[in-house]
């Protein structure tokens, strides 16, 4: 089964930028979809971004649209999240997730079965 490891989360100031990475290993017997989610203390986990496919554009939460960009490097089995113009409300644990479900579940978190350990992003004013 696929294992996911996120990295890149640190503390930054408002307006700063970060790039998160999610490296996937294993899962060679089946193909899987990946996406980014986040969870702030006391709040439910929410979808942040899912990458584009041949049939659909990338999807973003309204709160991050225009500031975050998702990308992937299939050769490296790595998913990225470029975060610009960060705000304090972006503070959260960021997770990447994988799903074997078809079709691509995009930001439907209930369809994702495999999760990374998370990487903490803290944005201070």
């Amino acid at each position: 089964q696929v294992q996911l490891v996120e990295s890149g989360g640190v503390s930054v100031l408002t307006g700063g930028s970060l790039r998160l990475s999610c490296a996937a290993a294993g899962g060679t017997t089946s193909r899987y979809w990946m996406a980014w989610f986040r969870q702030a203390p006391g709040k439910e986990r929410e979808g942040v971004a899912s990458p584009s496919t041949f049939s659909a554009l990338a999807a973003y939460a309204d709160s991050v649209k225009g500031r975050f960009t998702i990308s992937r490097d299939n050769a490296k089995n790595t998913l990225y999240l470029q975060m610009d113009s960060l705000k304090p409300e972006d503070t959260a644990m960021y997770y990447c997730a994988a799903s074997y479900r078809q079709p691509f579940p995009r930001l439907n978190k209930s369809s994702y079965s495999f999760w990374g350990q998370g990487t903490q992003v803290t944005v201070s004013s």
Side-chain angles (χ1 to χ4, degrees):
Q1 298 184 143
V2 63
Q3 295 182 12
L4 307 172
V5 180
E6 303 96 333
S7 62
V10 296
S11 296
V12 298
L13 297 175
T14 296
S17 297
L18 288 173
R19 189 176 77 157
L20 305 183
S21 299
C22 175
T28 57
T29 59
S30 300
R31 298 190 67 178
Y32 48 86
W33 306 106
M34 296 172 64
W36 284 101
F37 296 80
R38 69 184 181 185
Q39 186 168 23
K43 301 185 68 176
E44 294 185 4
R45 193 166 300 184
E46 63 177 347
V48 176
S50 63
S52 63
T53 66
F54 285 113
S55 60
L57 297 174
Y60 297 93
D62 288 341
S63 60
V64 308
K65 193 170 297 183
R67 299 187 297 118
F68 291 11
T69 304
I70 191 168
S71 62
R72 60 183 180 271
D73 186 333
N74 291 328
K76 297 181 179 179
N77 295 118
T78 300
L79 188 71
Y80 301 97
L81 184 66
Q82 177 66 44
M83 305 185 295
D84 298 317
S85 301
L86 283 163
K87 305 175 180 179
E89 50 263 45
D90 294 318
T91 295
M93 185 73 76
Y94 284 72
Y95 301 89
C96 63
S99 174
Y100 290 96
R101 194 181 299 270
Q102 300 293 336
F104 185 28
R106 293 167 71 80
L107 296 179
N108 181 5
K109 68 179 181 181
S110 66
S111 295
Y112 288 82
S113 299
F114 304 93
W115 299 82
Q117 83 289 345
T119 185
Q120 179 67 42
V121 172
T122 301
V123 185
S124 59
S125 60

